[in-house]
Amino acid sequence: MPHLILSVLGPDRPGLVGALSATVREHHGNWLESRMAKLAGQFAGVVRVAVADDQLGPLDDALKALAQQGLVVTTAPDPDRPATSGAVDAPPRQLHIGMLGLDRPGVVRDLAHALAVRGLNITELTSRVRSAPMSGELLFEAQVALAAPPDADLDGLREQLEQLADQLDMDLSFEAAEP
C-alpha cells in the first residue's frame, strides 16, 4: 500500500484535524503518524498516511478541496517507505542537541550548516525566543533531534558543536542514544 506525506497549512481553528482525518478515512486511508502545531495563528502539520493505489487520485482531489475550508494540503510520495526486498541498512544513531543563549540572527543557519557538512539529518527542530528571567533580554532556545550514520564521529561532532556554541556564546547540551 503506498504511503503519502501530506503537508498541511491554514489559519488555526477547531475542526481542522477532524476534517483532514475524515477525508483520509473516507478514502480508506490509514493515518500512520503526524507532527502538528499552531504557530503565529497558523496551523501547520506533516502527516504520513497509507492508502490503496486506486484511492491515490481521489484522495488527492478531496484533500485539495479542503482549501474551501481554509486548509491547504499538498501531497508527496513517502521517500522513507521501507523497500520490500533487499538488505536492511543499520539504523541511524539518534542524537539530541540543546542550545540556549542570547538571540541573534543566523543561529539556526550556523547550526544547520555545521550538521549538514557532517552528513547529519535534522529529524526535528523546535525553537523559540523568550525573555531572560532577570534581565528581560531575548534568549534563543533550540532543541534538535538528529539522525547520524552508525559510524559517525561523535567526538568530532561534539567538539565542532562546542566550538560553534562558544562562537555564538550559547550553552550546549549534547546527548547520543546508545546504539
Side-chain angles (χ1 to χ4, degrees):
M1 186 175 285
H3 292 188
L4 292 176
I5 302 296
L6 312 180
S7 173
V8 182
L9 180 66
D12 189 45
R13 65 170 177 77
L16 291 178
V17 174
L20 183 62
S21 61
T23 302
V24 169
R25 187 65 200 126
E26 287 166 6
H27 291 85
H28 310 286
N30 186 20
W31 187 294
L32 300 172
E33 62 182 314
S34 60
R35 299 275 170 90
M36 300 180 167
K38 175 185 174 186
L39 182 66
Q42 294 292 305
F43 172 78
V46 180
V47 183
R48 186 168 67 103
V49 300
V51 63
D53 283 324
D54 65 340
Q55 290 295 312
L56 287 170
L59 175 60
D60 192 50
D61 292 341
L63 291 169
K64 284 184 172 95
L66 290 175
Q68 296 170 353
Q69 298 179 42
L71 194 60
V72 177
V73 182
T74 57
T75 61
D78 181 357
D80 290 335
R81 183 162 185 232
T84 55
S85 63
V88 176
D89 293 334
R93 303 260 332 250
Q94 301 302 309
L95 308 174
H96 298 277
I97 298 169
M99 293 185 82
L100 177 65
L102 291 177
D103 184 38
R104 58 188 268 188
V107 174
V108 174
R109 179 204 61 215
D110 294 346
L111 177 60
H113 176 74
L115 298 171
V117 297
R118 289 187 165 269
L120 301 175
N121 187 35
I122 296 175
T123 57
E124 188 170 349
L125 168 67
T126 305
S127 64
R128 68 181 180 143
V129 175
R130 62 180 172 94
S131 295
M134 299 294 278
S135 68
E137 290 183 275
L138 293 180
L139 297 176
F140 177 81
E141 180 178 19
Q143 296 296 318
V144 185
L146 305 167
D151 60 348
D153 175 13
L154 298 186
D155 291 332
L157 173 62
R158 180 188 303 266
E159 184 178 311
Q160 181 182 9
L161 291 174
E162 286 172 350
Q163 288 173 1
L164 176 63
D166 286 345
Q167 290 170 4
L168 297 173
D169 196 24
M170 300 191 98
D171 293 329
L172 171 78
S173 64
F174 181 92
E175 183 181 319
E178 292 301 317

